[in-house]
Every structure is written in structure tokens, then in C-alpha cells.
Amino acid sequence: MSATPATIAAPPATVRVDWEQTTVTSRTTLTTHLWTAPPLRRESPIHDRAFEALRALRVDLARFLPWFSHPRVAVPELTPPTDTRTSWNFELLDPFVEDFVAAAEGRPIVANFATIPTWMFVTAEPVDVSEDLDEHHWDYEQGSELRDPTCAEVADYFYRLASWYIAGGFTDELGRRHESGHRYRFAYWEVLCEPDIGHRISPELYTALYDAIVTRLAPLDPDMKFIGLSLSHVHHQPEYFWHFLDPANHADGVPIDAISYHFYAQPEIVNPFGREGNAPSAHWRDIFFAQADAFLDQVRFIDSIRKRLAPDTATFINELGTYPADLMNPAPDIPDSYWALSAAVQTYLWAQLVEIGIDLVGIAEFMDYPGMIPGTSLIDWETGAPNTRYHALALLLHHFDLGDALATTTTGAHGFPDPRVHAQAFISASGLRKLLVVNKTADTVTVDAPDLDGQGNQLTVSTVDGEVSVEACTLSLGAYAVAVISH
């Protein structure tokens, strides 16, 4: 009597590595970003633990992002100047910047003071901002036409803001001096964030704004570089890249040091007639990995544009993550399995982006909470403790580095990859061999891994739950497990 499908054990996933054949050398900086989330205020009970978790990652090029959803913190000039007064006030923003810089402990950081004051746009009515620091202002970014079409007003605003943090202070519109005492240095200044949504700034206007802002800020620090575009995950206009990356569309001498854009996998169902809601959680795995693969194709296309127009420009994918269903729900119902799935997706994408040659990958976001896209958080919004996504990021930071060589790695047999796992072998600059394996399924998968040193020595398997030693090269990976095998 033949066995039924329910009694047939799945065969092991076989991983093979040709350690003598390498493909690329990693140049990908792995990092994260932090925005001015209300639970990170100094008076918050999770403040200290959260910033200690950020400090413990020890990442280069962490990105600081005051976000338009809370303009009273993010916009230090909330109202336009009059003939007698200005509204400059950094009282709420300064503590975030100071704590972020302290957590970096001297490592290079990225500044993205992203929000243009809405009063600089033509709007039917002034936009009100609540006194409640916890209130979300999703309608703050209004208007698509600048009241000063030369972009000089916006550039002057960012010059004063940057001067506050870089040059110790600034002179306001009325000729009055404001002293800060800050003398921070930023490795990069990113110009705006997701300009393709909110104000829906066109490629042409964005390029003009970038040139105006960079021209004003560059003299503040000759070593500071600039990042352009910062497009959202919903962008579908290649013209942003074609226009911005063409040096002919920029003023003489304006550098295009790097471009950036974002990606979030999400379970929302979209068809040609609009959005239909969210897929059941049982299908999220298939949706997330399908979207991840589609995004990788998009990355390759964008990179072909970059190589053609601006080959010396770096690419930063500085927001990468996943969304659960009902992403703005103040009382979200997020399955426990989501966090491991999200960690597997971000790890899979990182490994693929390293192979493509992307210069920076930022796992988003360090802190979020119910009502503010909670599924992107790397820490628990109630306790500040690191979660599974954080530990998966920390695992990669601990084991892999710039300069690692990627060895040719295959799964499956007869030329067909095993869809259950993704594997990539790395050789460090010192010659140490390591193997990254991602279980892309909700089932436990047995993996036959190669002998790393050719001598059958004991292996160490590191996961988000810790390390174990194994005698053989066969290991069992639980649902959506991320593992690094070393010897």
C-alpha cells in the first residue's frame, strides 16, 4: 500500500557552495532609521531602553527623520514670519536630535529633516496644527505649488535649520541671531522624504528643489554629501530616475552623490479597479515574497538607469520592511507569526541586494506603534525591548561586513532552486566562511548544508534565538527562521 501525501516526509533542502568561485564583494552598508515618534520622547517610560537598543546595533549611516505626521516636533518654523516676529523653535526637536547623535557614538549619520513647512505652499486655508504632541496630522502636507516658485524660500529654510545643527546657529528672516551651540557633522543630508506623495512634487520641481537646497547647504560642511529622491514604496514613475539622474537637468556643480527609495511588502489586495482590502494572513507569505521578487526586478531596472546616466551615484534603499493588515489601526491584530515572516523577508531582500551591489540597505523602522504602522517597528512599543525583526538585523550586523566576498551558492537539484529556502555563502576578508540560510515557509525545513572548512569540524548555528553547536551539516529550521552557519 502506498503512502498518502500526509505521511511522506519532505526531503531536505540541499545547499551547495563553490567556495572557489565568488561573484561580488559586498559594498552594502546595513543600517536603520529613527523618526521623531512620540514614544521616544525623554519623558516616555521606554525612552532609555529604546535608545540603548539603537546604540547596541552600532550601525553606520543611521538615518534621522523628523516626519510630517507630527509637525509641531518636525517643523521648527510652523508659521510664516511677519514684520515683527518669527516662529523658530527647536525646543521639541532638539532632544530627539541630541539623543540620536549620542546613540551613534561618533559613527557617521544621515540627516533627513524632511518636511517643508506647509505655509510655503499655496493652500486655500492655513493648515491648523494641534497642541497635542501625540496627535497625527496626516493632512499636514497640502498644496503642490510653492508660493516662491524660485525655491529660494525653501532653500533658505533648510539652510537655517541645517545651520542650527551644523554651524552653531543662524540669522533669521528679520536679521536676529539664534544660537544653538550645536556643531554636529552629518555624513549625508537627504533632501526631503517621499516627495512623490503628500505634495506630489513632480520630478522637475523636485530636481529644482534639490539643486537649490544643496547649493545653500554645501558650504556649511565641505565633506557632507547629499542624497536625492527618497521616493516612497508606491512610486511608479521611472521619470523620477530618468530626470533626476541626468546631469543635464542639474545646475553646474551640484553633486548627485546618492539616490534613495523605499520598499514595503504589504498584504493589501489591489486590482485595476482599486483596493479591495487585505488578504488573509495565511496568504501573507506568498504575497510578501512575490512582492519582494518583483521589487528586486524593479531595483535592477532602476540600477540600469543609474549606470547609464550617473554611474558614480550610490543607491540607498533606506526604508525596507513589511506592513501588516490595517496598518494605521490603533488596535492592530497582528499574528505572532508576522514578526518572523517580516524578519525572513527583510533578510532575503538584504542578501539579494548585496548581490546586486546596492550601497545601503536600511531596515525600517526603528520605532513604530499602533496607529503609526506598527508592523515596521524593530522594538516593542510598550516596553522598548528588541523584537524578532531587530534580532534578525542584529544577526546580520554581527556576522557580515563590507568587503565580504559572496561565493556561488545553489539550492535544490537538477538546476531547479528549492523554493523553500534562500541561501548565500560569504567569505570574510580574513577567509572565514559563513552561510546564511532563510526558511521562506511556515513549515519546519531540514537543510543539508555544506561542510564549511572541508574537515567536518563542529558548526555553530546562530539564529535570532541564540547559538547552538551541531556536529553534522544537517539542521532543522523552524518557520521563517534566519540562520547563520559558521565554524
Side-chain angles (χ1 to χ4, degrees):
M1 180 177 178
S2 62
T4 65
T7 62
I8 298 175
T14 301
V15 179
R16 296 180 176 86
V17 179
D18 183 348
W19 296 104
E20 304 304 316
Q21 183 177 358
T22 58
T23 54
V24 299
T25 298
S26 174
R27 67 184 195 196
T28 306
T29 297
L30 180 61
T31 189
T32 188
H33 83 270
L34 177 144
W35 71 279
T36 48
L40 294 178
R41 293 197 298 264
R42 286 178 177 172
E43 60 269 27
S44 166
I46 73 168
H47 170 277
D48 292 354
R49 190 172 188 182
F51 275 96
E52 180 54 39
L54 178 62
R55 181 179 292 106
L57 287 175
R58 299 181 62 81
V59 292
D60 287 341
L61 299 180
R63 172 172 168 254
F64 179 72
L65 177 67
W67 189 228
F68 79 89
S69 60
H70 294 76
R72 194 163 291 281
V73 176
V75 181
E77 192 180 25
L78 267 179
T79 59
T82 67
D83 292 338
T84 59
R85 65 179 297 274
T86 66
S87 62
W88 287 101
N89 187 337
F90 290 85
E91 182 180 3
L92 297 174
L93 183 55
D94 265 3
F96 283 98
V97 179
E98 291 164 3
D99 293 346
F100 176 80
V101 172
E105 297 183 321
R107 287 178 288 274
I109 53 180
V110 177
N112 186 348
F113 295 88
T115 308
I116 300 172
T118 292
W119 56 263
M120 293 187 180
F121 287 84
V122 177
T123 58
E125 299 288 342
V127 178
D128 291 331
V129 176
S130 170
E131 295 286 342
D132 184 353
L133 298 182
D134 294 328
E135 185 173 333
H136 306 146
H137 292 75
W138 294 118
D139 61 346
Y140 180 72
E141 290 194 326
Q142 296 186 30
S144 57
E145 178 186 350
L146 291 172
R147 72 177 198 171
D148 173 16
T150 71
C151 302
E153 184 173 60
V154 173
D156 287 345
Y157 167 79
F158 282 110
Y159 175 78
R160 292 187 174 100
L161 192 161
S163 296
W164 177 263
Y165 289 112
I166 297 172
F170 63 89
T171 301
D172 69 17
E173 295 92 332
L174 303 181
R176 297 166 181 162
R177 182 71 184 171
H178 299 255
E179 298 288 346
S180 69
H182 300 310
R183 296 282 179 176
Y184 299 136
R185 299 196 70 186
F186 303 112
Y188 287 88
W189 186 283
E190 189 171 23
V191 178
L192 309 187
C193 181
E194 300 188 344
D196 51 319
I197 59 176
H199 296 296
R200 301 187 181 276
I201 296 173
S202 69
E204 293 79 12
L205 177 55
Y206 177 80
T207 301
L209 280 165
Y210 175 91
D211 285 6
I213 294 167
V214 170
T215 299
R216 289 289 276 135
L217 269 58
L220 290 172
D221 182 350
D223 294 327
M224 185 167 66
K225 297 182 179 180
F226 295 91
I227 306 167
L229 292 182
S230 192
L231 297 177
S232 76
H233 70 289
V234 297
H235 66 85
H236 297 292
Q237 294 187 47
E239 186 58 28
Y240 277 105
F241 300 99
W242 284 112
H243 188 87
F244 182 79
L245 284 168
D246 188 342
N249 295 322
H250 289 269
D252 291 343
V254 174
I256 314 173
D257 296 311
I259 58 168
S260 60
Y261 53 97
H262 309 154
F263 170 75
Y264 295 92
Q266 54 189 319
E268 188 177 44
I269 299 173
V270 181
N271 65 29
F273 304 101
R275 288 168 168 77
E276 292 187 340
N278 295 292
S281 59
H283 299 293
W284 290 4
R285 176 264 174 196
D286 296 331
I287 293 171
F288 285 5
F289 279 106
Q291 290 178 0
D293 286 331
F295 173 67
L296 291 168
D297 285 339
Q298 186 180 42
V299 170
R300 295 182 184 98
F301 171 63
I302 293 168
D303 208 44
S304 70
I305 299 174
R306 180 196 63 82
K307 289 176 179 177
R308 177 174 176 175
L309 294 176
D312 295 330
T313 297
T315 297
F316 291 0
I317 299 176
N318 53 9
E319 291 189 28
L320 186 149
T322 64
Y323 291 161
D326 302 324
L327 69 164
M328 300 298 185
N329 191 337
D333 181 15
I334 304 176
D336 290 342
S337 61
Y338 166 83
W339 300 103
L341 169 59
S342 182
V345 172
Q346 73 190 38
T347 305
Y348 168 73
L349 279 168
W350 170 81
Q352 295 277 33
L353 293 169
V354 170
E355 188 170 16
I356 292 173
I358 297 305
D359 297 277
L360 179 143
V361 171
I363 303 301
E365 301 180 316
F366 185 75
M367 169 72 205
D368 271 301
Y369 57 96
M372 283 296 299
I373 322 178
T376 64
S377 188
L378 295 176
I379 62 174
D380 187 290
W381 49 81
E382 294 181 347
T383 67
N387 65 21
T388 301
R389 298 186 69 237
Y390 176 102
H391 290 304
L393 168 59
L395 185 71
L396 298 180
L397 289 166
H398 177 73
H399 284 281
F400 305 108
D401 205 350
L402 300 174
D404 290 351
L406 278 65
T408 301
T409 310
T410 57
T411 64
H414 309 297
F416 295 97
D418 191 322
R420 296 172 296 171
V421 297
H422 180 76
Q424 180 60 61
F426 295 79
I427 306 172
S428 72
S430 63
L432 184 63
R433 295 174 174 181
K434 295 187 178 183
L435 179 67
L436 172 68
V437 184
V438 180
N439 179 0
K440 298 168 65 178
T441 77
D443 301 318
T444 297
V445 174
T446 300
V447 177
D448 283 342
D451 184 358
L452 296 191
D453 62 1
Q455 300 178 19
N457 287 333
Q458 190 177 63
L459 299 176
T460 298
V461 180
S462 304
T463 69
V464 298
D465 298 317
E467 294 184 348
V468 295
S469 296
V470 296
E471 297 290 345
C473 295
T474 299
L475 62 147
S476 180
L477 295 182
Y480 308 124
V482 174
V484 178
I485 305 170
S486 58
H487 64 80

